[in-house]
Amino acid sequence: MPRYLEFEVTLRGIEPRIWRRFQIADDATFGDLHRAIRDSFGWDGGHLWEFRASRQRPIAGFADDFLEGLDEPTPDAEEVQLASYFPASRSCVYVYDFGDDWTHEVKLKPRVSSPDRFHRRLLAGRRACPPEDCGGVPGYYRFVSVVETGVDPWDEDVADLKEWLGEWDPSAFDLQGEKRAFDTDKRVRAGFP
């Protein structure tokens, strides 16, 4: 019977909590886990990212010749199996967009078996992902204020900000709609893989 790893991923620094829970094949790589987090949260993928055992030590990430020569190069996520880290460790962090520094707590849940065969499956989640390039956690709270009160705490033109935000609703999360795209892995993303 196929076995799967189940993860719950929470975006740090934001309340109410923004989180997703999904299952992924137990032979997956950290590259597969990156795409599962990216797609379940709705990130467009246009930024550098990395998995870390702590705030300092990289486990795996985006491999690029541009990044070579660093004191501690990041192992290529496509080559690092999840089984090399999990289940010996129960959690890690995933950092997306080194400018906005979106830090996600990645927690391993109990391993599951299922007669169903799939690569990944979205199970649950709450709240919308922050808008891409909004300025990290402070920018997120700024745009929540714009949407909920119509006031920009940074005193910029609210009409321009609302146009940029489009239909973004911080409390929205359509599990069934997200499942259809996530479970079939048919999203098209720009930027880094």
Side-chain angles (χ1 to χ4, degrees), residues 162-189:
K162 284 187 174 186
E163 183 178 335
W164 182 75
L165 288 170
E167 298 295 317
W168 182 73
D169 174 356
S171 64
F173 182 71
D174 173 17
L175 178 60
Q176 294 310 312
E178 294 299 321
K179 274 185 69 53
R180 279 190 295 278
F182 183 91
D183 293 1
T184 59
D185 198 9
K186 294 192 178 188
R187 293 179 196 252
V188 176
R189 297 280 188 219

Side-chain angles (χ1 to χ4, degrees), residues 31 50 57 66 101 114 129 131 135 149 165 167 180 182:
E50 184 173 77
R57 188 174 65 83
F66 171 76
D101 197 35
S114 172
C129 182
T149 69
L165 288 170
E167 298 295 317
R180 279 190 295 278
F182 183 91

